[in-house]
Amino acid sequence: MRIVVTALLAWMAVSGVAQAQTGSASDPTGRGYVEGIAQSAFGNATSQSYGAEAGVTVFPNVQLFVEAGRLANAAPSTFGASAAVMAGYLSQTQSNVTFGAKEPITFGLAGLRYVFPASGKLEPYVLAGGGVARVQKNATFAVGGSDVTGNLSQYNVVLGTDLSGSENSAMLSLGGGVMWTVRTRIVLDLQYRYGRVFAAGQGINVNRAGAGIGVRF
């Protein structure tokens, strides 16, 4: 009899642990997460984007998230065209003139993320947010292989705000993805993000697709 009771108690204990683990695994949000992100960016230009994201559950299936990152280049075609015009002017008096035209963007975002109820290790989600983006206009010029961007005055050239400087603009972000639980706390986030930077003069569209890897807490 004692053996039977002992076996029954052991079975109940194991069953209870299994149920607790199953309930934890089926929770689509948990308390939150933090992850590092690497993405390919495309739209106006093709480049890379890196950053970090963190989220905390505020309601069932709903998380408040924050994201910070840097996009290597999002320059529209008009930016390169303006730099080419300036390089053409320099070529009238100088030889072997080359130029570069990039608009890196540093941004910070916050918003809400909805996680669809799902079973298993895959958790699809959508999100929407907004924030601030700092757009830097980096047009560079070289003559004979030497960078002369900081000393263009010797050629009677002054760069305008269309080719130099920076500005802070509002940014909208929409997207979605699938979070895969690799292990109990380790997650892989396959994602897509669309962003719109409301820069003065001409807005900038940014598409980002990539992955994040992080941990739940």
Side-chain angles (χ1 to χ4, degrees):
M1 181 66 177
R2 179 178 298 177
I3 295 175
V4 173
V5 172
T6 302
L8 180 60
L9 292 174
W11 176 84
M12 291 175 64
V14 172
S15 177
V17 170
Q19 289 179 355
Q21 291 177 340
T22 302
S24 177
S26 62
D27 183 353
T29 56
R31 288 185 296 169
Y33 67 95
V34 60
E35 62 181 347
I37 299 170
Q39 301 162 324
S40 175
F42 53 95
N44 294 329
T46 300
S47 64
Q48 298 77 41
S49 179
Y50 302 95
E53 182 178 307
V56 61
T57 301
V58 292
F59 297 105
N61 298 92
V62 178
Q63 294 178 319
L64 174 67
F65 78 89
V66 292
E67 180 187 3
R70 181 174 175 82
L71 179 64
N73 183 26
S77 58
T78 53
F79 185 68
S82 297
V85 170
M86 186 63 69
Y89 174 80
L90 287 172
S91 297
Q92 294 178 8
T93 58
Q94 307 299 316
S95 60
N96 193 19
V97 176
T98 58
F99 72 94
K102 291 185 177 182
E103 280 192 6
I105 296 177
T106 304
F107 59 87
L109 303 166
L112 293 177
R113 164 170 151 155
Y114 178 79
V115 182
F116 293 97
S119 59
K121 295 184 177 182
L122 299 180
E123 300 169 359
Y125 66 87
V126 294
L127 58 76
V132 177
R134 184 173 182 82
V135 181
Q136 296 173 290
K137 299 181 180 181
N138 292 341
T140 59
F141 300 89
V143 174
S146 299
D147 190 345
V148 296
T149 307
N151 195 27
L152 286 172
S153 58
Q154 64 180 314
Y155 306 111
N156 297 317
V157 171
V158 177
L159 297 182
T161 56
D162 59 330
L163 292 176
S164 64
S166 61
E167 63 174 290
N168 295 326
S169 304
M171 181 175 179
L172 170 70
S173 180
L174 304 171
V178 176
M179 185 168 278
W180 173 35
T181 302
V182 181
R183 294 200 174 189
T184 304
R185 292 182 178 272
I186 306 301
V187 292
L188 179 65
D189 184 6
L190 304 178
Q191 54 188 229
Y192 165 77
R193 305 285 188 266
Y194 164 77
R196 174 72 174 179
V197 180
F198 298 94
Q202 181 179 6
I204 301 173
N205 293 317
V206 176
N207 295 280
R208 296 179 287 137
I213 185 166
V215 295
R216 297 186 188 276
F217 55 84

